[in-house]
Amino acid sequence: MQAAERGLHLLWEALTTPASADTRPPGPESRRRGRRWAYVLVLGLVAVLIPVTSDVLSQEHALPGPVAVSLALTQSGPLLLAVTRPLQAWWIVIVADTVGALLLLFTSPVENSWPWPPAQIIGYLALCLALSLRERRRTLIAVWSVTLVLSLALGFLAPERSDGTNVLMTVLSGIVLLLGGAVRERGDAQRRLAEQETISEAERARRTLLEERARIARELHDVVAHHMSVITVQADSAPYRLSGLPPQAREEFGSIAGTARESLTEMRRLLGVLRSEESHGERAPQPGLDRIGQLAEATVRAGVPTELSVEEGLSGLPQAVQLSVYRIVQEALANVVRHAPGATVRVSVTSGEGSTSGGNGERDGTGRRSGRRAGRSRDSASARLTVLVVNGPAAGSAGPPLETAGTGHGLVGMRERVRLIGGSLETGHLPDGGFRVAARIPLLPAQPTGKDPEPS
């Protein structure tokens, strides 16, 4: 008894609770466009069904004219409501169809279709299609169950009048509900998958950005820690190296050394949070401009002709700047190897306001150029370092690219490094099918902007 009551309660809940908005296609514009087309199609169907149903009920089934028109309106008119509220429309139609079947039992000749005339079957199938595209699975099961029970009950009520339309209605409505529900659930699954992929891609981009920032922070620790250690040693040894210091100066040097040690300790604590388990073993010194040649040689060995030009006199640049330049060139060359195998690459690192196309000089065996220009002045506020990596289109004889579509995460890392030292980054495709990466880094300290650039 309790199981029967629970089943009836679930059936009633399924028939009275419309589907939530999350089952509908996203996007207000697409919904409005689809709704307009649905209204046009349903309006055409209703315009045909109402006069046909009214004429059939009055002429063939001998119902009075006003009753026939009323039944036609209540059986076919709610299809317009089904565009937006199919469950409410179904309640009106199922009651009207049942009332009409009972009336026809007393007025219709025996030879006519009963309990469901053909026009009613067509309208009910259209309503089932609207239900299947909007409502949940349990609601569709409940609708078909009610249709089955009513059809069987009417068939048992007057078996001598039933001509099999009750069975036809049950079978066809079940097929429409099943197919329409399958199509809707497949569309919902595809939309959820697309949304999840979008969220996952955004999360991957955000995670990559955070990982790159943590990596930059770890590398900067090594640079800053070196300078802080020098400050500590100089402050500790100043009283012994400089004779005749007053007590106040000795105390000041001691305070500077203590502050530097405390700063080093705090930096090491912060670094412990930033370092992952895999990075605990990092012990190699951070690369600089002197190791860019090794990148060019490795790129040449990978089958990509590389022309390198590094201006002389840049070895005295701050370590943070050298490290950023190295990483930018490294990522740019890696992108060429992955996406444009066999392409010719030009890499130039120059200072001042001069040309960014690379210097003139003699090449060595790897295609590297040794710049012969005199060092430009870097004392003005406009002094800057320009890093340019330009590659041509991929060579067809070098084979297909290792990757045909990139995520842009490498560009995110380049942009973060350039932003860190107050510079700018320009990237883009060239008309001949190549790619260009240009970073401009000021050689004087830049004021932080406090803004994060949008990753590309």
Side-chain angles (χ1 to χ4, degrees):
M1 188 66 181
Q2 291 181 352
E5 291 179 356
R6 178 174 175 79
L8 290 175
H9 174 73
L10 292 177
L11 179 64
W12 177 256
E13 183 181 359
L15 293 174
T16 56
T17 307
S20 57
D22 59 358
T23 62
R24 300 174 185 176
E29 183 59 33
S30 61
R31 282 204 303 268
R32 284 195 295 268
R33 191 184 306 113
R35 192 173 297 169
R36 283 195 296 266
W37 280 106
Y39 272 122
V40 171
L41 295 176
V42 172
L43 184 60
L45 180 62
V46 170
V48 174
L49 285 180
I50 288 179
V52 170
T53 302
S54 175
D55 184 68
V56 169
L57 292 178
S58 61
Q59 298 296 329
E60 297 183 9
H61 295 274
L63 279 179
V67 177
V69 172
S70 300
L71 277 178
L73 289 174
T74 53
Q75 289 174 351
S76 303
L79 293 178
L80 291 172
L81 178 63
V83 175
T84 55
R85 294 178 175 84
L87 190 58
Q88 289 84 342
W90 177 82
W91 275 106
I92 300 174
V93 171
I94 196 66
V95 171
D97 285 353
T98 304
V99 172
L102 294 176
L103 291 176
L104 294 181
L105 183 61
F106 301 101
T107 62
S108 177
V110 176
E111 66 272 9
N112 288 342
S113 297
W114 189 89
W116 312 122
Q120 292 182 11
I121 295 177
I122 294 174
Y124 193 80
L125 293 180
L127 179 59
C128 288
L129 179 61
L131 280 165
S132 65
L133 296 178
R134 295 293 294 267
E135 299 298 328
R136 295 163 296 186
R137 182 185 301 178
R138 64 175 184 176
T139 301
L140 303 184
I141 295 175
V143 166
W144 185 79
S145 300
V146 172
T147 305
L148 174 64
V149 170
L150 282 177
S151 297
L152 293 179
L154 290 173
F156 285 121
L157 181 63
E160 72 283 355
R161 295 289 307 272
S162 177
D163 61 348
T165 55
N166 54 345
V167 177
L168 181 65
M169 172 83 108
T170 303
V171 173
L172 292 181
S173 62
I175 293 175
V176 172
L177 290 173
L178 177 63
L179 295 180
V183 171
R184 178 187 57 79
E185 291 184 357
R186 182 174 182 272
D188 291 343
Q190 290 178 337
R191 281 192 295 272
R192 286 193 295 268
L193 180 60
E195 292 173 0
Q196 187 60 41
E197 288 179 350
T198 302
I199 295 173
S200 299
E201 181 61 29
E203 286 297 324
R204 282 195 296 269
R206 179 176 176 272
R207 184 171 63 248
T208 301
L209 179 62
L210 295 177
E211 290 175 353
E212 188 63 29
R213 287 180 176 178
R215 179 184 177 188
I216 294 172
R218 294 195 300 267
E219 293 174 347
L220 279 180
H221 165 268
D222 298 336
V223 177
V224 177
H226 167 72
H227 295 299
M228 294 296 293
S229 300
V230 172
I231 293 174
T232 304
V233 172
Q234 289 179 338
D236 278 334
S237 62
Y240 304 99
R241 292 183 291 103
L242 304 176
S243 59
L245 287 177
Q248 294 85 354
R250 293 175 179 270
E251 183 178 351
E252 188 68 23
F253 277 120
S255 176
I256 293 173
T259 303
R261 289 193 190 92
E262 183 179 352
S263 300
L264 279 173
T265 302
E266 294 297 328
M267 286 182 61
R268 291 191 183 98
R269 291 175 183 170
L270 176 61
L271 187 68
V273 176
L274 293 177
R275 286 193 185 276
S276 62
E277 295 180 359
E278 293 80 6
S279 63
H280 285 166
E282 296 176 1
R283 295 291 184 269
Q286 298 298 340
L289 293 178
D290 56 335
R291 292 179 57 182
I292 292 182
Q294 299 177 11
L295 294 177
E297 293 172 358
T299 307
V300 171
R301 288 195 298 270
V304 178
T306 305
E307 179 182 303
L308 174 63
S309 174
V310 180
E311 183 177 319
E312 293 179 347
L314 299 180
S315 58
L317 293 177
Q319 182 63 28
V321 174
Q322 295 195 44
L323 178 60
S324 297
V325 172
Y326 178 87
R327 295 301 187 194
I328 291 170
V329 174
Q330 182 184 43
E331 181 62 34
L333 292 178
N335 286 339
V336 175
V337 173
R338 287 195 298 264
H339 302 289
T344 301
V345 186
R346 287 187 297 110
V347 180
S348 65
V349 181
T350 58
S351 64
E353 296 293 331
S355 170
T356 61
S357 61
N360 297 323
E362 299 177 359
R363 302 182 187 177
D364 59 19
T366 65
R368 177 179 178 182
R369 285 185 179 180
S370 299
R372 300 300 183 186
R373 292 183 251 181
R376 293 179 174 85
S377 173
R378 296 188 291 271
D379 296 332
S380 63
S382 61
R384 67 183 181 183
L385 190 70
T386 301
V387 182
L388 185 66
V389 182
V390 180
N391 66 273
S397 58
L402 299 179
E403 296 181 13
T404 57
T407 62
H409 294 166
L411 298 182
V412 172
M414 291 189 207
R415 203 173 297 277
E416 282 296 305
R417 291 185 179 278
V418 173
R419 168 186 172 273
L420 175 70
I421 48 184
S424 62
L425 180 71
E426 297 177 5
T427 61
H429 293 277
L430 299 176
D432 63 353
F435 199 81
R436 176 177 180 270
V437 175
R440 293 175 176 84
I441 302 169
L443 295 179
L444 293 180
Q447 295 296 330
T449 61
K451 298 180 180 179
D452 289 345
E454 295 183 2
S456 59

